[in-house]
Every structure is written in C-alpha cells, then in structure tokens.
C-alpha cells in the first residue's frame, strides 16, 4: 500500500484580503482533475444544500447516495464526507473529460483551494476574525505561471462570501458546544444535530409540517421567510440546533431562532 502524500499547508504566511498570491487552474494543465481523487472532503451544511438543490434531490437522498457519516472521536459531532468512488477513488461528480459536473455549486473547500480559511470568533466579540494560508497539493501545477490574485479577488471570483457566511453560523454552533464543556452527544442529540445541520428537507418536514409545537413560538413573518427560502431555512435550522442542544432549548429559554 502506498502512503498518501501529505497536503502542504503553508502556515508561515497568514494572508488577509489585501495580500496576494499567484495561481491558475484551467483544463489544459496536465494535472487537470488530478485533485478530484482520493479526498477526505468534509461537507459543510451549505455545501450539501447547494449540491442537493443542483441535482434536484431531497437532502436525505443526497446524503444516502453520495456521503458517509462519522462521529468525530474528539468533537462527538457527526461529520459528513463525500464518498469517493471506483478504482481511482474519484469524486462522484467528476467527469474525466468535462471536469467537475457540479462546478457552479461545488463545495466551499473546492472553491477555496489553493487557500485554506482559518476563522475564529472571540467570546468578547460577535465579529469573525479570518485569515488564509496557502495549500500546495502534491502534483498541482496551478502555482506555475499563475496569475496574480489578492485574497479578496479570489473570494469574489469563487463566490466564497455566502459559503463563509454560512460556515460561520455553523461555527457558532460548534463554539456553543465548546462553551458548555459537553464532551459527547447522546444518540438523540446526534440525530438532532444531523437533521438540523445536514438533512434540511427532513428538518423542513419536522419543523414546518410535523406535529411539533415550536413553530408556534415564531412570528408569522419568520415562518413565511424560512418556508420560502432554503438559505434562510438553513440559517434557522443551525441556530435551532444550537439553542436546542447547547443553550437550554427553544421552549425553556423562550427565544426563537429568527435572528
Ligand atoms: S466537487 Fe467538483 S471540484 Fe470538488 S472534488 Fe468533486 S469534481 Fe472536484
Ligand atoms: S492546477 Fe491544481 S487545482 Fe487545478 S486541476 Fe491541477 S491539481 Fe487541480
């Protein structure tokens, strides 16, 4: 068995929006699509929303067909990973001739490369502090004769702002868990986490149509907003999980998730 080459995260430079780097990825590169194999690609909640919507699938069907789930030994959270396929462990959305078949809706990690985003929120502030590091995948030719980008122009080119906004709301939920000191979730909590974060159509059915009473805690305006807009529903679901699991629950704290 050959060892998988290590990804090279260059953390010697912390890049901010105005900092620059050189990179170009295009189909004529010899390495075209080489980076879409044998990946440990963790999907964020918003990645799943974008891809299942593009494919016209229910989130539950998408999760069953394309992903595997692991409960992180340290975090205790369910983690969803894209399942690689076939003898070359290819991404299921890779076409050898055409490249990525979900390009406009590909996951945030695919869009962000060759950068990696580090983000944190301090207890004192609601602002998220972020910086980026360069990642050099073995065999990636994108750094040869690359064109110059700033981090800001790369984020605009790749449509990253909405992904980062959603990922930061997910991050609030993970941070809330850390602040409680809870080490492991029980099976019911894992199910709640999985539904609210990843299986959005199941959450919609449960929250908006099922026999639960929590939706009556919310204003008609909030219910209308989350009924009509997937992104708003996902933001709501992430905040609902946070309150339900780590902040005393909706009913007991009397605060909705409509913010
Ligand atoms: S989603 Fe697209 S860009 Fe990302 S690994 Fe799969 S084929 Fe490659
Ligand atoms: S240049 Fe890098 S990112 Fe682009 S196809 Fe080649 S390996 Fe993938």
């Amino acid at each position: 068995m050959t060892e998988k080459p290590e990804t090279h995260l260059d953390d010697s430079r912390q890049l901010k929006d105005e900092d620059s780097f050189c990179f170009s990825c295009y189909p004529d590169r010899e390495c075209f699509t080489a980076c879409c194999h044998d990946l440990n690609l963790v999907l964020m909640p918003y990645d799943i929303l974008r891809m299942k919507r593009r494919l016209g699938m229910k989130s539950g069907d998408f999760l069953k067909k394309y992903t595997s789930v692991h409960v992180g030994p340290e975090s205790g959270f369910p983690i969803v990973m894209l399942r690689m396929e076939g003898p070359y462990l290819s991404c299921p959305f890779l076409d050898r001739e055409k490249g990525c078949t979900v390009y406009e809706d590909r996951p945030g990690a695919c869009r962000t490369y060759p950068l990696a985003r580090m983000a944190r929120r301090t207890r004192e502030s609601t602002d998220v502090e972020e910086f980026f590091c360069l990642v050099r995948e073995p065999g990636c030719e994108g750094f040869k004769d690359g064109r110059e980008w700033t981090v800001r122009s790369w984020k605009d080119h790749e449509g990253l702002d909405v992904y980062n906004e959603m990922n930061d709301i997910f991050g609030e939920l993970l941070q809330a868990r850390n602040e409680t000191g809870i080490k492991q979730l029980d099976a019911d909590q894992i199910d709640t986490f999985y539904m609210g974060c990843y299986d959005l159509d199941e959450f919609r059915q449960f929250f908006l149509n099922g026999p639960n009473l929590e939706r009556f805690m919310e204003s008609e305006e909030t219910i209308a907003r989350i009924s009509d807009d997937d992104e708003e529903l996902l933001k709501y679901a992430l905040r609902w999980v946070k309150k339900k699991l780590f902040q005393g629950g909706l009913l007991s704290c009397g605060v909705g998730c409509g913010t």
Side-chain angles (χ1 to χ4, degrees):
M1 198 168 99
T2 54
E3 254 183 49
K4 208 169 154 185
E6 272 183 38
T7 292
H8 297 285
L9 179 78
D10 176 1
D11 57 6
S12 64
R13 281 179 75 201
Q14 298 190 353
L15 304 175
K16 297 285 201 180
D17 274 2
E18 61 283 5
D19 293 323
S20 57
F21 62 98
C22 292
F23 189 77
S24 293
C25 173
Y26 46 83
D28 288 346
R29 292 269 193 214
E30 271 190 30
C31 57
F32 184 56
T33 76
C35 49
C36 300
H37 300 270
D38 201 6
L39 295 172
N40 293 320
L41 210 170
V42 174
L43 297 180
M44 298 289 119
Y46 187 56
D47 295 332
I48 296 165
L49 165 54
R50 288 285 292 254
M51 287 193 286
K52 73 99 190 168
R53 186 165 61 193
R54 180 192 182 91
L55 298 168
M57 297 174 81
K58 291 279 184 203
S59 50
D61 295 333
F62 175 90
L63 289 162
K64 247 184 246 158
K65 184 162 182 190
Y66 294 116
T67 70
S68 56
V69 183
H70 312 271
V71 175
E74 283 177 25
S75 69
F77 291 132
I79 295 166
V80 173
M81 300 183 75
L82 195 58
R83 206 163 52 223
M84 301 291 124
E85 291 181 342
Y88 301 108
L89 296 176
S90 311
C91 171
F93 304 119
L94 178 64
D95 178 290
R96 288 187 70 180
E97 305 301 322
K98 297 183 198 150
C100 179
T101 58
V102 294
Y103 189 79
E104 294 80 5
D105 296 288
R106 68 201 185 286
C110 304
R111 311 172 94 92
T112 308
Y113 181 81
L115 300 175
R117 179 176 186 251
M118 314 290 163
R120 74 181 188 116
R121 184 184 275 107
T122 58
R123 276 183 192 232
E124 302 76 45
S125 160
T126 53
D127 296 339
V128 175
E129 289 173 14
E130 67 170 19
F131 65 87
F132 292 79
C133 292
L134 276 170
V135 181
R136 296 173 193 274
E137 287 291 344
C140 174
E141 298 187 358
F143 294 93
K144 283 187 202 160
D145 313 318
R147 67 164 265 200
E148 187 171 345
W149 302 88
T150 61
V151 170
R152 182 65 259 171
S153 64
W154 186 253
K155 279 159 61 173
D156 291 341
H157 184 258
E158 298 294 312
L160 276 168
D161 283 347
V162 61
Y163 283 80
N164 292 339
E165 181 198 355
M166 290 293 193
N167 291 347
D168 289 342
I169 297 172
F170 187 49
E172 282 174 27
L173 160 58
L174 305 186
Q175 186 172 350
R177 196 292 300 265
N178 291 343
E179 287 168 6
T180 64
I182 295 172
K183 291 273 182 264
Q184 293 291 328
L185 304 186
D186 66 27
D188 287 344
Q189 290 172 321
I190 287 174
D191 287 347
T192 297
F193 187 101
Y194 183 83
M195 175 180 71
C197 295
Y198 306 126
D199 196 349
L200 194 63
D201 292 310
E202 183 66 21
F203 177 78
R204 177 185 286 109
Q205 176 61 24
F206 163 81
F207 192 82
L208 293 174
N209 306 319
N212 78 89
L213 298 176
E214 290 173 28
R215 65 179 170 275
F216 299 111
M217 305 275 297
E218 291 295 359
S219 66
E220 281 181 22
E221 190 191 15
T222 297
I223 295 297
R225 195 180 72 237
I226 65 177
S227 301
D228 292 345
D229 185 319
D230 283 350
E231 272 76 0
E232 289 297 323
L233 182 65
L234 179 58
K235 288 180 194 173
Y236 185 94
L238 294 172
R239 289 178 171 139
W240 176 85
V241 173
K242 180 174 75 170
K243 287 198 160 73
K244 189 100 183 147
L245 296 185
F246 309 124
Q247 294 181 340
L250 271 178
L251 295 173
S252 58
C253 71
V255 179
C257 303
T259 53

